[in-house]
Amino acid sequence: MFSSPFPEFISFFCGNMSSPPVFPLLPEEEIFLKTIGSSKRQAEFILGRRCVHQALSKFKLESAPVLRNPETREPCWPESVRGSITHSGKIAAAAVGWTKDISGIGIDLESFSREIDFNISRHVCVETELIRLKSLPAEQAKRDLRIIFSAKESIFKCLFPISQTYLYFKDAKITINEDNAEFSFVLSKACSGITEVGFQHSGKFSIKDNMLLTSIFI
Ligand SMILES: CC(C)(COP(=O)(O)OP(=O)(O)OC[C@H]1O[C@@H](n2cnc3c(N)ncnc32)[C@H](O)[C@@H]1OP(=O)(O)O)[C@@H](O)C(=O)NCCC(=O)NCCS
């Protein structure tokens, strides 16, 4: 299980299916759960919401239900906080921060046990990312492709809720910095009211128990 990649003022919780549930689903979430078709998605939703309430409890907001926007699928947080949720198999995580401290936040989990098809790099990567990946030994190229993919999903989760701008994978260029387990990125598209073309920022990645966690906040 991952420890927090964030500073103290952000609350982060990572849990798995076998950890004892501290917070049950709230009644509004129970109702929403019944609208989810597959049992796999239901299990993900339950574990994700447990992590959400554990993370929110640091701010005494654990009794606020966190539903999902039916059109955009983004989570609907209490007004005073921003947050992000991720699931992968039997693991999930949630991160939240007060709006006075952060503008946006994104986290993403990926499992290395799920094989990644290197051909997706054509859809995920911009030219300079592709050139670098192709210069690497095959296994490292696959690992770095996964970091790039996950970093871009974290960027999307961070920026979409505050801009309603749909970023595509090729709208961000990622550079991995192994020395400090960070990635930097530059955007080639503006996010409405938030970032200009050329916006640069960085995030973190961490690898543990065959899982990858990427994270950013702005
Ligand atoms: C939305 C997306 C990022 C989710 O990632 P995923 O790896 O499929 O799934 P995860 O389990 O990690 O994350 C799921 C959570 O993402 C969150 N999410 C979904 N849509 C979201 C949105 N529009 N904005 C913010 N968060 C969103 C939800 O909290 C969801 O969990 P929940 O349904 O239990 O509430 C992904 O499905 C997607 O659409 N990606 C394409 C867009 C993209 O990444 N562009 C790259 C830009 S550089």
Side-chain angles (χ1 to χ4, degrees):
M1 228 90 67
F2 289 94
S3 53
S4 177
F6 296 111
E8 267 298 294
F9 57 85
I10 290 172
S11 178
F12 172 88
F13 185 80
C14 180
N16 69 25
M17 298 274 183
S18 49
S19 27
V22 178
F23 295 102
L25 285 194
L26 296 166
E28 296 88 337
E29 293 166 340
E30 288 283 3
I31 292 167
F32 184 82
L33 181 69
K34 295 197 176 84
T35 69
I36 300 176
S38 96
S39 54
K40 179 176 171 277
R41 296 249 174 247
Q42 284 189 347
E44 281 186 353
F45 181 81
I46 293 168
L47 182 59
R49 267 30 186 201
R50 277 187 203 155
C51 295
V52 160
H53 296 300
Q54 188 90 45
L56 283 172
S57 68
K58 181 168 173 180
F59 302 151
K60 308 261 184 287
L61 288 172
E62 66 277 11
S63 51
V66 176
L67 301 176
R68 186 191 282 167
N69 180 313
E71 271 131 48
T72 62
R73 297 177 53 88
E74 66 189 285
C76 306
W77 298 97
E79 219 171 298
S80 51
V81 298
R82 300 220 194 278
S84 184
I85 304 167
T86 182
H87 341 81
S88 180
K90 293 186 175 358
I91 297 189
V96 287
W98 294 114
T99 50
K100 69 176 173 55
D101 295 326
I102 62 168
S103 301
I105 187 164
I107 56 173
D108 187 68
L109 280 168
E110 296 288 327
S111 169
F112 282 101
S113 49
R114 269 184 54 201
E115 189 57 29
I116 191 164
D117 179 355
F118 193 75
N119 287 323
I120 70 155
S121 59
R122 287 185 291 131
H123 308 290
V124 170
C125 297
V126 296
E127 198 58 30
T128 46
E129 293 167 341
L130 274 179
I131 292 169
R132 189 182 155 273
L133 289 180
K134 284 179 181 161
S135 74
L136 298 172
E139 278 315 301
Q140 197 193 335
K142 278 190 180 178
R143 168 197 179 270
D144 285 12
L145 172 58
R146 210 182 290 264
I147 294 173
I148 290 171
F149 178 82
S150 177
K152 291 186 180 190
E153 292 212 315
S154 281
I155 293 166
F156 178 84
K157 290 183 195 177
C158 176
L159 292 174
F160 182 84
I162 49 177
S163 68
Q164 301 296 301
T165 300
Y166 196 94
L167 285 176
Y168 293 90
F169 283 101
K170 294 195 179 185
D171 294 328
K173 185 186 82 169
I174 306 287
T175 306
I176 298 170
N177 186 342
E178 294 288 346
D179 294 339
N180 54 5
E182 288 191 0
F183 61 87
S184 55
F185 66 90
V186 54
L187 298 183
S188 57
K189 181 178 181 179
C191 289
S192 185
I194 304 293
T195 60
E196 302 291 332
V197 171
F199 175 77
Q200 297 188 29
H201 199 59
S202 62
K204 292 190 173 173
F205 69 91
S206 123
I207 295 171
K208 199 175 170 194
D209 302 333
N210 221 24
M211 298 287 301
L212 166 70
L213 173 72
T214 59
S215 58
I216 76 160
F217 72 97
I218 58 171

